[in-house]
Amino acid sequence: MMTVSEGYPDDVLAVMASGRVTIEDYRDVLLPVANVRLERHDTLRLLYVIGKDFESFSPGAMVADTRFGLGHLGRLDRCALVTDVAWIADGARLFAPLFHVPFRVFSCAEADAARDWVLERADHP
């Protein structure tokens, strides 16, 4: 399941993943909100929290996640991933340098620091 958290500036997309995340979550939850916000803003800042109750991504969700990241690469200002799932954190750290977007991985215990970092303005235009 994927939900979008309220209470953030309009150019911050805060997404929470729990349980099993499916391609439908991307299609029905993430993409509609991201597309509307990208119509209003040149860039988005992304806070992606994979909570302690996360179980898995469906294969389609993993493809959708990759497509979202690559498809919006030039429109992301900074991205924070919050997770204690080692293979997700390690994979994100491995590929992050290829995307040329300020990107950091935080543990679940560091969720407040991740939020604060995303809420800061990036140093690049």
Side-chain angles (χ1 to χ4, degrees), residues 77-114:
D77 187 26
R78 62 176 37 197
C79 301
L81 172 64
V82 177
T83 186
D84 287 338
V85 180
W87 70 266
I88 294 173
D90 293 344
R93 285 186 190 102
L94 178 67
F95 291 106
L98 302 174
F99 299 133
H100 306 288
V101 171
F103 180 89
R104 290 184 55 189
V105 177
F106 297 84
S107 70
C108 289
E110 300 170 307
D112 289 343

Side-chain angles (χ1 to χ4, degrees), residues 23-33:
I23 192 169
E24 291 82 12
D25 292 314
Y26 281 86
R27 183 190 68 217
D28 300 338
V29 177
L30 178 67
L31 292 177
V33 174

Side-chain angles (χ1 to χ4, degrees), residues 28-112:
D28 300 338
V29 177
L30 178 67
L31 292 177
V33 174
N35 290 334
V36 166
R37 292 189 186 183
L38 285 167
E39 288 176 10
R40 295 192 293 245
H41 304 281
D42 291 333
T43 60
L44 289 180
R45 292 171 282 159
L46 178 65
L47 174 61
Y48 192 1
V49 179
I50 298 176
K52 293 185 180 286
D53 56 350
F54 170 79
E55 295 170 8
S56 64
F57 285 110
S58 71
M62 293 179 75
V63 170
D65 186 70
T66 302
R67 281 188 183 153
F68 175 79
L70 293 175
H72 296 88
L73 200 52
R75 308 278 312 269
L76 297 176
D77 187 26
R78 62 176 37 197
C79 301
L81 172 64
V82 177
T83 186
D84 287 338
V85 180
W87 70 266
I88 294 173
D90 293 344
R93 285 186 190 102
L94 178 67
F95 291 106
L98 302 174
F99 299 133
H100 306 288
V101 171
F103 180 89
R104 290 184 55 189
V105 177
F106 297 84
S107 70
C108 289
E110 300 170 307
D112 289 343

Side-chain angles (χ1 to χ4, degrees), residues 1-19:
M1 170 196 283
M2 185 178 280
T3 58
V4 175
S5 294
E6 301 297 323
Y8 288 87
D10 195 55
D11 67 334
V12 174
L13 183 56
V15 179
M16 309 304 159
S18 62

